[in-house]
Amino acid sequence: MYHSQLSSGICMPGAILMQPGTSVKSVETETRIGHCTNVPRNTNMENLRNQYLFPQICAREMEHARKYPQAKLIRLGIGDTTEPIPEIITAAMAEHVHALSTVKGYKGYGAEQGNMDLRDTIAETFYKDTSIKSSEIFVSDGAQSDISRLQMLMGCNVTMAVQDPSFPQQLEQLVEFARANGSIIIYDSAYAAYITDESPKSIFKIRGATEVAIEISSFSKFAGFTGVRLGWTVVPEELLYANRIPVLKDFNRLICTCFNGASSIAQAGGLACLSTEGYQALNAVIDHYKENAKIIFDTFSSLGFNVYGGKNAPYIWVQFPGLRSWDVFAEILERAHIITVPGRGFGPGGEEFIRLGAFGHTQSIIEASRRLQNLFK
């Protein structure tokens, strides 16, 4: 017998051939594909490419590990820090945790915008020579989260452009362009602590930037907080929408609606990072990564490659003219057991390049240098 009217919860309509003694309910259960709602998929999600860059790299790394289980893999790809957080900082977090177990020291929700002492200290440490005020600084659980919140703030009807490749230069030109075209710049300054020359460490060092820019920053890369999660975003009061409403007003509303504030433990660590002793300890770690960058830079330079970066940032870009970056990535992984990042992942302009990170222990960096010299000699 055939059953021609299926439950509305079954996605694929059709006839069911029933055997004697079989109930309609059991047949539907066995042949059910899955319940479908009437809610359409977000078309913006449909337009995304299948995978984000770094999960693709992780998948290839796992495949390589299965193929060569005895190989000692060196990871110079994803920019995750490797050196321990200085004890003066972890001790401050531990002290805060202990205080939470006491009646006197316990605190619950804090201000969504962040601990005011931390906001004041960020303003004093990083924006002393600008007009930025602590009231324009919003403490968060990291730069990546804030980038997503800013996309939510702007909505899906605003056109966004990403530099190709996606690491800027030329801040003065960007500010001039934004002022002339009525645009807003979203500037990521997560690596500002690595700048050692006269280059600006904040976009707000550029005249007129407070009227056209939002700056996102993070404790992840200069303080080793990749797992602790702490960052901040600066939204100047002078930054206005086309209707002259301050962007800060809406960002504050979004933060207060969608976020309960960064962890108080992480914020205690952030304050310790910006103390005199904490900042000195972190500079020693940064110097370590910069020395790693120099080793990698010198290695490729000695082999005759065109090498960029590594001086004001913990990343080195190496050009392989005429080659696809994923092919170079695959060759270095296969023959040297080193994880890099294909430049194509940062935009079409990154093709022919690979990116290597300087985050690693000195021994690993020296070993990577040796392997690369053997591979490309």
Side-chain angles (χ1 to χ4, degrees):
M1 106 179 239
Y2 288 85
H3 179 71
S4 60
Q5 291 184 339
L6 301 185
S7 163
S8 61
I10 296 179
C11 294
M12 297 185 66
I16 298 177
L17 176 63
M18 297 183 65
Q19 299 298 322
T22 304
S23 69
V24 173
K25 182 177 181 181
S26 65
V27 171
E28 288 182 353
T29 301
E30 291 173 3
T31 59
R32 181 183 294 272
I33 300 299
H35 173 78
C36 290
T37 71
N38 290 324
V39 178
R41 186 184 182 195
N42 182 338
T43 56
N44 294 307
M45 296 301 295
E46 291 181 0
N47 292 332
L48 288 176
R49 63 185 182 189
N50 288 335
Q51 281 190 305
Y52 179 50
L53 171 64
F54 293 115
Q56 291 184 64
I57 293 174
C58 287
R60 297 196 183 207
E61 176 182 334
M62 288 190 290
E63 182 182 344
H64 184 80
R66 286 192 294 267
K67 185 177 180 181
Y68 300 102
Q70 304 303 319
K72 182 183 177 183
L73 198 63
I74 298 177
R75 296 171 178 84
L76 302 180
I78 296 173
D80 194 1
T81 50
T82 55
E83 294 303 300
I85 299 172
E87 189 173 355
I88 188 173
I89 297 165
T90 56
M93 289 191 280
E95 183 179 348
H96 183 81
V97 170
H98 178 71
L100 291 175
S101 66
T102 68
V103 173
K104 184 179 179 180
Y106 176 76
K107 293 182 180 178
Y109 289 124
E112 293 91 345
Q113 301 88 347
N115 180 319
M116 201 66 229
D117 287 342
L118 180 56
R119 297 168 77 191
D120 287 341
T121 306
I122 290 172
E124 178 66 20
T125 304
F126 299 107
Y127 303 102
K128 187 175 182 179
D129 298 328
T130 72
S131 62
I132 296 301
K133 303 182 290 293
S134 53
S135 59
E136 299 168 310
I137 296 171
F138 296 80
V139 178
S140 72
D141 54 347
Q144 190 167 12
S145 299
D146 272 350
I147 289 171
S148 298
R149 292 183 187 112
L150 285 168
Q151 290 178 308
M152 186 189 307
L153 178 75
M154 298 299 175
C156 60
N157 294 321
V158 174
T159 300
M160 296 190 182
V162 179
Q163 196 156 338
D164 175 26
S166 54
F167 286 92
Q169 317 289 343
Q170 306 98 13
L171 290 187
E172 289 184 356
Q173 293 94 317
L174 280 175
V175 170
E176 289 173 6
F177 175 87
R179 289 179 62 83
N181 289 274
S183 304
I184 294 177
I185 299 168
I186 310 296
Y187 181 68
D188 184 351
S189 66
Y191 297 98
Y194 290 85
I195 296 175
T196 54
D197 59 20
E198 297 303 312
S199 301
K201 293 188 177 183
S202 166
I203 197 169
F204 299 121
K205 297 281 189 179
I206 309 300
R207 184 179 179 182
T210 53
E211 296 179 342
V212 295
I214 293 171
E215 181 166 288
I216 300 171
S217 200
S218 169
F219 284 83
S220 287
K221 301 306 169 63
F222 86 89
F225 272 33
T226 50
V228 177
R229 308 309 305 145
L230 190 67
W232 72 88
T233 289
V234 181
V235 185
E237 294 175 352
E238 298 173 62
L239 182 65
L240 307 177
Y241 288 115
N243 63 359
R244 305 200 65 78
I245 297 295
V247 175
L248 181 147
K249 178 181 178 181
D250 284 1
F251 190 71
N252 184 66
R253 173 63 186 272
L254 187 148
I255 289 295
C256 291
T257 304
C258 302
F259 186 51
N260 277 330
S263 160
S264 62
I265 301 167
Q267 292 189 74
L271 274 168
C273 288
L274 303 183
S275 69
T276 301
E277 298 84 359
Y279 207 58
Q280 287 176 347
L282 290 178
N283 280 328
V285 177
I286 291 170
D287 287 343
H288 165 80
Y289 292 135
K290 285 159 66 174
E291 182 58 33
N292 287 350
K294 184 177 186 304
I295 293 171
I296 298 171
F297 185 100
D298 290 347
T299 296
F300 279 102
S301 184
S302 69
L303 291 166
F305 288 95
N306 293 325
V307 193
Y308 306 89
K311 292 189 169 54
N312 286 329
Y315 297 113
I316 299 90
W317 291 73
V318 185
Q319 187 176 19
F320 291 79
L323 298 180
R324 295 175 64 249
S325 58
W326 274 107
D327 292 341
V328 179
F329 165 90
E331 181 181 8
I332 293 175
L333 178 58
E334 177 74 19
R335 298 178 58 192
H337 307 299
I338 295 173
I339 294 285
T340 60
V341 180
R344 185 63 175 79
F346 299 96
E351 194 66 280
E352 297 187 347
F353 288 84
I354 60 162
R355 193 196 78 174
L356 300 95
F359 298 113
H361 303 304
T362 302
Q363 251 186 332
S364 296
I365 299 297
I366 292 173
E367 171 61 17
S369 173
R370 185 191 65 80
R371 294 183 193 180
L372 291 166
Q373 286 174 332
N374 289 335
L375 177 61
F376 293 114
K377 64 182 178 182

